[in-house]
């Protein structure tokens, strides 16, 4: 149990501008963060304070990036953990890891002289899945501890905890997590539309020598259904194809091959899990 349950990284360099597309998700997240940060004003209006924000959507769409940007936006320290880290053989270990995570967040924020800490829990469904009749006793303790910690979050705490969780299986979450006063703000982070894909492609092309004839608008059309993570892969693979051909720039055909490769990779992954 000596493994660290959370990794603190310097997220201060990461901002919302570096996330492509996801305009609505960004806007909703910023509004939710403003709610938390301006808690006093919000309370005057009689609005219930917010405890946790849930980002829901398919893999690779930028949920982790959004959480990092949230830390930057609110000038918070950033701690990340994944639901799967709390699943342990021994009863009680998961729960104590949750406790440690919140403790560590408060300590880190104090040390860094910051008023708040963002705790990001990816794959929340692993610990917060629906309870099925006493089957998952260990998970229950972990989930109960998380609920206890959430109940202990107050918007005027110093340092303040901003809890963000992500899932790609929102339907499987236990109702206890979604209740008012828990994760009661849900933000959908969907696959990007064409405009979003073009934006994401341009972000990942920024440091690459694209041939001037390359039309990102067309590449965006051709990558229908791709996630942000896949689009990042497309740009990276295209650069590798260009290198193999000793080409100084990345051209249309490199991108076409890269799109095929990423699409094929998806298929192979799916076949492997089926
Ligand atoms: P998972 O559900 O698998 O944890 P996620 O939604 O948290 O995925 P991220 O980890 O945020 O996805 O994204 C993975 C990588 O894909 C990022 O590091 C980035 O390179 C790229 N990426 C994903 N979405 C975007 C986006 N909207 N804009 C720019 N890059 C993106």
């Amino acid at each position: 149990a000596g493994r660290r349950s959370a990794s603190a990284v310097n997220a201060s360099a990461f901002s919302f501008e570096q996330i492509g597309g996801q305009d609505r998700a960004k806007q909703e997240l910023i509004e939710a963060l403003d709610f938390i940060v301006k808690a006093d004003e919000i309370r005057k209006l009689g609005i219930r304070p917010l405890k946790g924000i849930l980002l829901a959507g398919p893999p690779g769409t930028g949920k982790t990036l959004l959480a990092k940007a949230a830390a930057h936006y609110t000038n918070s320290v950033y701690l990340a953990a994944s639901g799967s880290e709390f699943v342990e053989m021994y009863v009680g270990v998961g729960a104590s890891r949750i406790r440690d995570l919140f403790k560590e967040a408060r300590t880190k924020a104090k040390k860094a002289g910051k008023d708040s800490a963002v705790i990001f829990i990816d794959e929340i469904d692993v610990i917060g899945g629906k309870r099925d009749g006493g089957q998952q006793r260990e998970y229950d303790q972990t989930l109960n501890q998380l609920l206890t910690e959430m109940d202990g979050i107050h918007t005027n705490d110093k340092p303040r905890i901003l809890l963000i969780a992500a899932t790609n299986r929102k339907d499987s979450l236990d109702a206890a997590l979604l209740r008012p006063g828990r994760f009661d703000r849900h933000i959908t982070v969907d696959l990007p539309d064409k405009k979003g894909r073009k934006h994401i492609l341009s972000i990942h092309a920024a440091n690459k020598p694209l041939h001037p004839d390359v039309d990102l608008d067309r590449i965006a059309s051709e990558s229908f259904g791709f996630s942000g993570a896949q689009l990042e892969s497309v740009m990276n693979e295209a650069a590798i194809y260009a290198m193999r051909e000793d080409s100084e720039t990345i051209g249309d055909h490199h991108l076409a091959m890269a799109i095929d490769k990423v699409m094929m990779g998806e298929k192979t992954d799916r076949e492997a899990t089926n």
Side-chain angles (χ1 to χ4, degrees):
R3 199 162 55 97
R4 281 169 41 79
S5 63
S7 54
V9 299
N10 180 5
S12 61
F14 203 87
S15 71
F16 284 113
E17 284 91 77
Q18 288 161 273
I19 303 173
Q22 305 299 358
D23 295 344
R24 172 142 22 122
K26 280 192 229 177
Q27 198 186 320
E28 286 178 12
L29 180 56
I30 289 171
E31 187 194 68
L33 294 168
D34 286 343
F35 263 44
I36 300 175
V37 173
K38 297 175 192 155
D40 288 340
E41 291 168 43
I42 295 299
R43 210 170 293 119
K44 277 184 209 145
L45 291 169
I47 300 172
R48 177 165 31 75
L50 218 103
K51 290 274 177 105
I53 300 170
L54 182 71
L55 306 176
T61 44
K63 296 184 289 298
T64 307
L65 302 181
L66 285 165
K68 285 183 184 167
H72 176 63
Y73 180 77
T74 54
N75 190 26
S76 308
V77 293
Y78 174 80
L79 285 91
S82 169
S84 52
E85 292 171 34
F86 300 101
V87 178
E88 279 292 325
M89 238 179 346
Y90 300 105
V91 173
V93 174
S96 82
R97 285 218 178 116
I98 292 277
R99 211 176 299 125
D100 291 347
L101 177 62
F102 280 76
K103 214 185 278 169
E104 191 185 349
R106 293 187 169 99
T107 313
K108 283 244 156 67
K110 268 184 213 151
K111 260 195 198 144
K114 306 232 175 185
D115 289 341
S116 50
V118 165
I119 297 180
F120 175 61
I121 305 181
D122 202 0
E123 295 182 71
I124 188 78
D125 43 280
V126 176
I127 45 175
K130 287 196 177 98
R131 306 177 200 210
D132 48 1
Q135 270 284 295
Q136 305 170 312
R137 298 190 138 256
E138 161 60 10
Y139 294 20
D140 270 7
Q141 284 207 13
T142 307
L143 177 56
N144 284 337
Q145 186 60 40
L146 178 62
L147 299 177
T148 304
E149 295 291 348
M150 289 191 81
D151 294 344
I153 294 177
H154 301 288
T155 35
N156 41 6
D157 283 348
K158 279 256 156 83
R160 183 195 296 121
I161 301 289
L162 312 177
L163 185 59
I164 303 178
T167 182
N168 40 48
R169 306 173 58 224
K170 187 176 144 187
D171 296 346
S172 76
L173 290 182
D174 196 283
L177 266 179
L178 303 175
R179 206 168 285 155
R182 303 272 173 75
F183 287 102
D184 51 6
R185 180 59 68 106
H186 303 170
I187 298 174
T188 303
V189 189
D190 253 325
L191 290 173
D193 59 9
K194 189 185 157 197
K195 186 164 155 264
R197 291 196 298 278
K198 187 179 175 188
H199 188 187
I200 295 169
L201 286 164
S202 68
I203 287 172
H204 293 288
N207 62 351
K208 294 186 176 67
L210 277 200
H211 192 279
D213 287 350
V214 168
D215 179 6
L216 285 188
D217 204 63
R218 220 192 61 225
I219 309 295
S221 297
E222 285 167 2
S223 51
F224 177 84
F226 280 32
S227 68
Q230 287 173 311
L231 294 167
E232 191 274 335
S233 262
V234 165
M235 274 298 161
N236 193 56
E237 293 294 337
I240 293 171
Y241 284 123
M243 190 195 70
R244 280 189 198 148
E245 286 180 9
D246 269 336
S247 169
E248 278 174 17
T249 56
I250 300 170
D252 269 328
H253 70 291
H254 301 130
L255 282 155
M257 285 192 286
I259 288 178
D260 278 352
K261 175 157 191 213
V262 172
M263 222 182 267
M264 292 284 277
E266 259 312 275
K267 266 197 202 123
T268 326
D269 287 352
R270 231 176 278 148
E271 274 152 22
T273 48
N274 275 346

